[in-house]
Amino acid sequence: METKNKKLPNRHSIRLANYDYSSDGWYFVTTCTHKGEHLFGTITDGKMKLNQYGIIVQECWNDLTNHYSNIVLHDFCIMPNHFHGIIEINNDKGTIRAGLKPAPTDLDNVNFALSEIVRGFKTFSSQKINRLRQSAGESVWQRNYFEHVIRSEKSYYTLVNYIHNNAVRWSLDKLNNMGE
């Protein structure tokens, strides 16, 4: 790849310094579509109506526990141009693995980091969506994702409430016109 006259973006980590994202805990995750494209459906009367791509995202989210044995999935919502979900990492056995393609022999003994779980979710859903729209390799998601370590029961319930009311608040969100 030639970068002679191009200045690459200076990216800095948005993760907590010295925090182990493979450790037991609850994590609130948000990921947005590439360029804010309204890809997953529409909101009518405060309710999200998933289209075929939104259904794929939902299926891929629900299927994550079949790929990552150290997680429990909690509340989530799919919006036209982003996704919110709560992932619980519960490492009661195994060793930590992170990377693009971990190749353990026994998935029940592997503790995956949050970054690997989100990478898998985005990869699985992108591949299925792109297969359906016949656009192999096209970006579905933005490059990064936002995460918040949930540190209290109060914070957990605040985020659950946020997830459940996201579609209702859609018309009040200044960013909801991204991608239209």
Side-chain angles (χ1 to χ4, degrees):
M1 183 171 119
E2 187 174 309
T3 60
K4 192 188 304 184
N5 294 324
K6 294 180 185 177
K7 182 173 171 122
L8 296 175
N10 183 11
R11 298 190 183 270
H12 65 279
S13 177
I14 59 174
R15 310 287 164 242
L16 290 174
N18 302 316
Y19 187 84
D20 180 1
Y21 284 92
S22 64
S23 63
D24 286 0
W26 297 60
Y27 303 89
F28 174 72
V29 174
T30 299
T31 187
C32 298
T33 58
H34 183 69
K35 297 184 179 179
E37 181 181 0
H38 287 208
L39 190 60
F40 304 135
T42 57
I43 294 183
T44 306
D45 298 325
K47 295 189 184 205
M48 180 64 186
K49 172 78 170 135
L50 297 177
N51 62 19
Q52 59 191 349
Y53 305 136
I55 291 168
I56 289 172
V57 170
Q58 183 175 21
E59 290 170 348
C60 288
W61 171 259
N62 289 330
D63 190 50
L64 284 175
T65 56
N66 293 319
H67 300 274
Y68 304 102
S69 61
N70 67 320
I71 66 169
V72 178
L73 300 175
H74 293 273
D75 299 75
F76 71 96
C77 70
I78 302 165
M79 299 295 285
N81 63 351
H82 65 280
F83 171 90
H84 298 294
I86 297 176
I87 299 172
E88 176 187 356
I89 294 181
N90 184 359
N91 298 311
D92 53 5
K93 59 190 176 304
T95 58
I96 295 169
R97 290 279 191 126
L100 290 176
K101 293 186 179 183
T105 56
D106 182 1
L107 286 178
D108 289 334
N109 293 323
V110 177
N111 297 338
F112 292 98
L114 184 65
S115 59
E116 168 59 22
I117 297 160
V118 173
R119 183 213 58 83
F121 170 63
K122 290 166 71 172
T123 299
F124 302 146
S125 57
S126 293
Q127 288 174 345
K128 289 182 178 189
I129 288 169
N130 282 338
R131 196 173 309 124
L132 186 61
R133 64 183 184 178
Q134 298 177 344
S135 59
E138 189 172 323
S139 294
V140 170
W141 300 102
Q142 284 183 358
R143 183 175 175 184
N144 215 332
Y145 66 95
F146 169 81
E147 108 296 313
H148 170 77
V149 179
I150 302 172
R151 295 186 176 103
S152 71
E153 188 174 343
K154 179 181 177 187
S155 176
Y156 171 80
Y157 285 112
T158 298
L159 291 166
V160 167
N161 185 51
Y162 179 81
I163 287 170
H164 287 277
N165 291 305
N166 209 272
V168 173
R169 290 190 318 274
W170 180 254
S171 65
L172 304 174
D173 187 345
K174 294 175 185 175
L175 298 177
N176 72 1
N177 291 319
M178 289 175 32
E180 283 191 329

